[in-house]
Amino acid sequence: MSDDYVEVDFGAGLRRLPRWQQVLDLTPHRDGLVPAEGPVDWSQLDLLPGCLTVDWAGPQRGVVEAIARHPTIRFLYWRDAVGDVDLRSTNLGTVQFEGPGLGNVRLPESVETLLLLDPPAAPQVEAPDEGHGLDLRYFQSGSEVLVPDGLRRTRTLWLRVGGTVSAAALSHLTDLEQLIITFDDPPGTLTELSELRWHDRLRTLRLDDAFGLDSEGLPDLPGLRRLELSGTRRTTAAVVKGRYKGSGVTVSVSGAKGESWLAEHMDNPFRDWIEDSKGFGRAAAGAYARARRAVEAIVPETPGALAAAEQGLRGLVADLSSINDKYELIDTLYREQAWDAFRALAARLQVPEQQAEEWFDSGRRF
């Protein structure tokens, strides 16, 4: 065997991998490197000295101890995390947890970035210096946000939420200097704006798709030096530019929309695709609108509902495939957005996610 490759067996059978492979998907499943159940031979990591990143899912099964024995591993992405996790013995720089089953988390001195995706209702995290040197990214599909007290001194926060969030949810963050809030759903409203006044160290504020922003409700922020609006109403952009003209605050606006555009596209998850290409984006938005109308016409749990749901949802995939055949613009990011939109429509009809995933993948050409 070439020195460039090694044979490893984590418990699911021999596999041939590049010796210096940097990203290792150890997500336990039937066809993976790690079996869905049973023991894991973590000594196999010794054969892969180039490993920097580990993907994992579910219960620990020894993964933390294994990473601790390999300080060159700097990135850990963990789906469906369960229970308490103590990472203090590792040398991880970036950690991502996804799932509501996560318990208490203890982070190592080496940590630089923490990503919490759809975390539990009251996540508990202990970080060095209460997160002062941490880049925190908190992505929550809903609007209920509770940044852990153990991260109260974080200076950088990217918050990704549904259609609305209260600024009061961030009032306990004492050292905040850079804040990004991205709204995934309409109306894109930041409520209780006056609560931002507590962040006297805030230098950069960026709001994405905040179409519901009350620009006149923004409090005076003495430390503010840059305000970015990416996706906003044209009327809001005009008010903000006028307010900060001649001040020490640099205002940057992109994606400002008029009322007619918003009336047509506000509720469409593919609205931003129009920025890449008008023809491509409008076609994709139209495909989603047709699928949504078809879904809204179906009454769940009635005879024929599942078959009708399958027809409508598969129709969206077929339309997007045809659109991509023509424009070739659906990349990895857009594919994930398409899946999110598809999954949300399926959830309206109470289609199990596994079934929805099979429909989405079957016949897809993007």
Side-chain angles (χ1 to χ4, degrees), residues 170-186:
L170 312 178
S171 60
H172 64 296
L173 303 181
T174 58
D175 295 10
L176 201 57
E177 296 178 7
Q178 177 177 317
L179 173 61
I180 302 171
I181 301 179
T182 300
F183 293 96
D184 285 335
D185 301 315

Side-chain angles (χ1 to χ4, degrees), residues 263-302:
E264 183 178 357
H265 299 295
M266 173 69 92
D267 294 330
N268 198 304
F270 302 151
R271 60 180 181 268
D272 292 335
W273 297 16
I274 298 172
E275 300 296 326
D276 272 359
S277 163
K278 238 177 214 186
F280 162 71
R282 287 186 180 277
Y288 175 81
R290 287 192 297 275
R292 185 175 63 185
R293 287 195 296 270
V295 166
E296 289 173 346
I298 299 170
V299 180
E301 300 179 350
T302 58

Side-chain angles (χ1 to χ4, degrees), residues 54-301:
V54 167
D55 290 335
W56 183 250
Q60 297 191 32
R61 297 173 65 186
V63 67
V64 173
E65 292 79 3
I67 290 174
R69 290 193 296 270
H70 295 83
T72 55
I73 298 177
R74 298 282 292 155
F75 303 87
L76 172 62
Y77 299 95
W78 193 333
R79 290 188 295 105
D80 301 322
V82 178
D84 298 344
V85 180
D86 189 343
L87 298 174
R88 290 177 297 174
S89 60
T90 72
N91 191 43
L92 290 167
T94 296
V95 179
Q96 174 179 301
F97 290 110
E98 179 179 358
L102 182 65
N104 295 337
V105 175
R106 293 181 173 182
L107 297 174
E109 293 286 340
S110 55
V111 73
E112 299 168 354
T113 303
L114 173 65
L115 301 92
L116 297 174
L117 279 58
D118 284 325
Q124 300 296 318
V125 180
E126 295 179 25
D129 204 11
E130 295 181 301
H132 186 65
L134 192 65
D135 178 356
L136 176 60
R137 304 177 186 188
Y138 189 113
F139 295 178
Q140 174 63 269
S141 55
S143 298
E144 296 299 323
V145 171
L146 183 58
V147 177
D149 286 339
L151 303 176
R152 71 177 70 225
R153 296 195 63 211
T154 186
R155 290 179 294 179
T156 303
L157 172 62
W158 180 7
L159 187 63
R160 190 161 193 152
V161 294
T164 182
V165 70
S166 170
L170 312 178
S171 60
H172 64 296
L173 303 181
T174 58
D175 295 10
L176 201 57
E177 296 178 7
Q178 177 177 317
L179 173 61
I180 302 171
I181 301 179
T182 300
F183 293 96
D184 285 335
D185 301 315
T189 302
L190 181 59
T191 63
E192 298 184 273
L193 281 169
S194 62
E195 292 296 313
L196 288 177
R197 70 186 187 278
W198 300 112
H199 305 295
D200 53 9
R201 301 185 184 186
L202 189 64
R203 298 183 61 83
T204 300
L205 174 61
R206 191 181 97 194
L207 302 175
D208 300 332
D209 288 345
F211 292 105
L213 177 66
D214 175 13
S215 54
E216 296 181 354
L218 278 172
D220 290 328
L221 300 169
L224 192 64
R225 294 296 175 267
R226 183 170 183 82
L227 175 60
E228 301 179 33
L229 301 179
S230 176
T232 188
R233 295 177 184 269
R234 286 177 184 161
T235 52
T236 300
V239 170
V240 169
K241 287 180 177 179
R243 174 176 174 178
Y244 291 102
K245 184 177 181 180
S247 70
V249 179
T250 299
V251 176
S252 173
V253 176
S254 61
K257 306 298 184 186
E259 297 305 315
S260 60
W261 188 97
L262 291 170
E264 183 178 357
H265 299 295
M266 173 69 92
D267 294 330
N268 198 304
F270 302 151
R271 60 180 181 268
D272 292 335
W273 297 16
I274 298 172
E275 300 296 326
D276 272 359
S277 163
K278 238 177 214 186
F280 162 71
R282 287 186 180 277
Y288 175 81
R290 287 192 297 275
R292 185 175 63 185
R293 287 195 296 270
V295 166
E296 289 173 346
I298 299 170
V299 180
E301 300 179 350

